[in-house]
Every structure is written in C-alpha cells, then in structure tokens.
Amino acid sequence: MATKTETKGKGFQPDSAVDITFEDQQRINKFANFNAKLEDLREEVKAKQNKLKNLEEAVEEIELFDDDTQIPFLSGEVFVSHNLSRTQELLAETKETYLKEIQEAEAKCKEIQENMNELKQHLYSRFGNHIYLENDQD
C-alpha cells in the first residue's frame, strides 16, 4: 500500500481526508445531475441522428417509384397511403422536425456542458486531485 508521500501529485486520491461542506456536496450533486442529463441528451441525439439517416435512405428509395404509386406512411400508430409527391412532402417535414430536435438537444448539451465546466473549475480549485469529475467523452 502506498503512503501519502508516495501518491502525492499522482492523481485521484479518494482515501485522503478532505472537509466537504454542505455547499460543496450540493455542487457535487448538481454536477452529477448535469452529467446524467448530458448522457441522456447525447443518447437522444444519437437516436435522432439514426432516425434521420433512415429517413434520408427512405427518401432515396422512393424516388424510384411512380407518382401514382400509393406509399404507406406511418402517421401516429397507423399507416396512411399517399402518392409519391405527398409522401416526399411528409418525409421532408419529418426531416425538418428531426433536424430541429437535434439542434435543440445539441444546444441543451452545450449549455449543460458549460454549467458543468463552471462547477468543475470550482470543485477542482477546492479539492484539487481529491476529486474526479471527468467522463470518457470529455
């Protein structure tokens, strides 16, 4: 087992005695909540990007159809058949919706990351290498 002098300056030291105030604990909890929200938003963005990719592939596929072909389009929980031009319009509207949702989620991610950086700066200045606030995606 390493002594304190052997580990000094070598990174995270979870077993060291550090006084944590109520305000510090609140900041740590806030950071953890932000981190969880950020992970959820990143997963949401990834899922929407996959849906967007599938939608773009569908747009390419239906370009080969005749205009009078009835194409089923999922609306809520049912499929409604439309001609080619109407289906293309609906796909374009859906694509715009996904793009808007992705932009909103990415903006929220950026805002949360900025808040986390402020908390990180404060907590690292207070605890130094006695706290670890990094995740794999930073």
Side-chain angles (χ1 to χ4, degrees):
M1 181 171 195
T3 64
K4 269 188 170 181
T5 56
E6 290 174 348
T7 60
K8 189 173 185 178
K10 292 186 180 181
F12 180 56
Q13 298 177 2
D15 58 347
S16 300
V18 176
D19 292 327
I20 300 176
T21 66
F22 177 74
E23 290 80 16
D24 293 333
Q25 188 61 51
Q26 293 298 98
R27 286 184 181 106
I28 292 168
N29 291 345
K30 193 173 188 180
F31 182 88
N33 288 336
F34 280 145
N35 194 44
K37 286 180 188 178
L38 185 62
E39 289 299 315
D40 290 344
L41 282 171
R42 286 178 175 165
E43 288 178 22
E44 179 183 324
V45 166
K46 188 175 181 179
K48 289 189 185 295
Q49 287 172 335
N50 286 337
K51 286 182 178 182
L52 184 62
K53 181 180 175 185
N54 291 338
L55 187 69
E56 289 171 345
E57 289 174 4
V59 168
E60 291 174 8
E61 285 293 319
I62 68 168
E63 287 178 354
L64 304 173
F65 292 9
D66 293 329
D67 192 41
D68 59 344
T69 302
Q70 293 294 304
I71 303 168
F73 187 84
L74 184 62
S75 179
E77 295 183 10
V78 297
F79 283 95
V80 180
S81 294
H82 299 283
N83 63 16
L84 176 63
S85 60
R86 179 65 183 142
T87 302
Q88 288 173 324
E89 290 172 13
L90 292 170
L91 289 171
E93 290 171 12
T94 305
K95 181 179 176 180
E96 288 300 316
T97 300
Y98 283 150
L99 288 171
K100 182 179 177 185
E101 290 172 357
I102 289 169
Q103 288 175 340
E104 288 172 358
E106 287 175 339
K108 287 179 187 176
C109 284
K110 184 178 178 183
E111 179 182 334
I112 289 171
Q113 190 66 53
E114 289 170 359
N115 289 330
M116 287 174 66
N117 288 339
E118 288 176 22
L119 286 170
K120 257 192 225 185
Q121 184 179 19
H122 176 78
L123 291 168
Y124 275 132
S125 68
R126 171 89 168 91
F127 297 107
N129 61 354
H130 297 282
I131 191 166
Y132 183 76
L133 300 172
E134 305 300 322
N135 62 20
D136 294 339
Q137 295 180 353
D138 283 343

